[in-house]
Amino acid sequence: DGGITQSPKYLFRKEGQNVTLSCEQNLNHDAMYWYRQDPGQGLRLIYYSQIVNDFQKGDIAEGYSVSREKKESFPLTVTSAQKNPTAFYLCASRTSGNYEQYFGPGTRLTVT
Amino acid sequence: ILNVEQSPQSLHVQEGDSTNFTCSFPSSNFYALHWYRWETAKSPEALFVMTLNGDEKKKGRISATLNTKEGYSYLYIKGSQPEDSATYLCARNAGNNRKLIWGLGTSLAVNP
């Protein structure tokens, strides 16, 4: 089945550790996005990538890093520099020429 | 800056009731308006993307209208069913690029 997968569904880390969240899509979409959701806030864009080997910072990129070495994959690393990493993280993708974004199931990260 | 406003924040209706929610956005520099449905434990799913003033779109019992001059969109659900229970998100494109600015959503609960 075509779609977007994010793994794991739940992730627990100790403060000070970097952690990488996986996002894979087999939709052949060009663009991919990472969002963060916190209680009482709308989805906020962390990073996005329009094509392979290119990505741009979103509105809240500090403390995060990404790579886009393959079209299908857009992993997000939450570094120790991110002050409040505990959140729900959503990955999305979109084909060029289309406005709709397709979302993965999300990863809930808890850092203690 | 959160400039997509959704109201009400939450709504409880009885099965069979018709309901509607509002999304407000700046009317200047409009490009596209999106509605998504986000059911608990699932991924957000695109409902509609609208670009033209006066657009009306329909999918089953759900429809949406767009007024770009005054900066609002309505989402209507006719004869609500328990399976309509979800958070309905509105987003607008930030200019002509593919970034989306999201509202906080309207949480709908349909009681059987």
Side-chain angles (χ1 to χ4, degrees):
Chain A
D1 282 3
I4 301 177
T5 56
Q6 292 184 244
S7 60
K9 191 172 182 178
Y10 299 96
L11 193 53
F12 298 88
R13 279 293 182 272
K14 294 288 187 188
E15 194 175 326
Q17 293 179 334
N18 291 356
V19 58
T20 297
L21 280 58
S22 165
C23 178
E24 304 280 329
Q25 54 99 359
N26 60 4
L27 300 168
N28 199 34
H29 285 177
D30 297 302
M32 297 187 74
Y33 304 80
W34 273 106
Y35 293 96
R36 169 182 172 139
Q37 190 202 31
D38 295 279
Q41 301 209 40
L43 294 179
R44 292 185 291 166
L45 183 65
I46 305 172
Y47 266 99
Y48 65 105
S49 167
Q50 306 277 38
I51 55 172
V52 175
N53 292 323
D54 185 57
F55 48 82
Q56 285 82 41
K57 293 182 179 179
D59 302 315
I60 54 165
E62 186 175 347
Y64 298 97
S65 66
V66 292
S67 62
R68 187 85 187 277
E69 296 176 3
K70 298 186 299 182
K71 190 175 186 177
E72 313 81 63
S73 179
F74 191 41
L76 174 75
T77 297
V78 184
T79 75
S80 56
Q82 167 51 232
K83 298 278 189 280
N84 298 295
T86 294
F88 186 67
Y89 291 86
L90 274 171
C91 179
S93 70
R94 179 187 58 79
T95 188
S96 56
N98 193 344
Y99 293 110
E100 288 181 14
Q101 294 187 12
Y102 292 78
F103 285 85
T107 293
R108 185 166 297 280
L109 173 64
T110 302
V111 176
T112 57
Chain B
I1 296 173
L2 183 63
N3 54 9
V4 174
E5 305 285 345
Q6 291 190 246
S7 63
Q9 184 175 354
S10 65
L11 198 53
H12 291 254
V13 302
Q14 289 298 126
E15 183 175 355
D17 288 349
S18 293
T19 187
N20 65 85
F21 348 117
T22 305
C23 174
S24 303
F25 51 87
S27 55
S28 61
N29 201 27
F30 177 82
Y31 202 73
L33 192 284
H34 303 239
W35 282 102
Y36 283 78
R37 173 170 60 200
W38 194 357
E39 297 178 63
T40 302
K42 293 187 178 180
S43 309
E45 173 193 4
L47 287 172
F48 306 113
V49 180
M50 295 183 287
T51 57
L52 299 176
N53 184 46
D55 256 356
E56 289 189 31
K57 295 213 171 175
K58 187 175 180 180
K59 185 182 285 190
R61 293 179 291 97
I62 304 177
S63 59
T65 61
L66 178 66
N67 183 323
T68 61
K69 294 186 188 307
E70 296 182 39
Y72 65 83
S73 173
Y74 293 138
L75 188 79
Y76 300 91
I77 302 179
K78 184 178 178 182
S80 302
Q81 298 297 309
E83 59 264 31
D84 295 328
S85 298
T87 295
Y88 291 82
L89 296 171
C90 171
R92 73 170 186 91
N93 281 87
N96 66 354
N97 65 35
R98 300 298 188 241
K99 289 170 57 176
L100 294 179
I101 298 175
W102 297 82
L104 296 181
T106 292
S107 175
L108 173 68
V110 182
N111 301 318

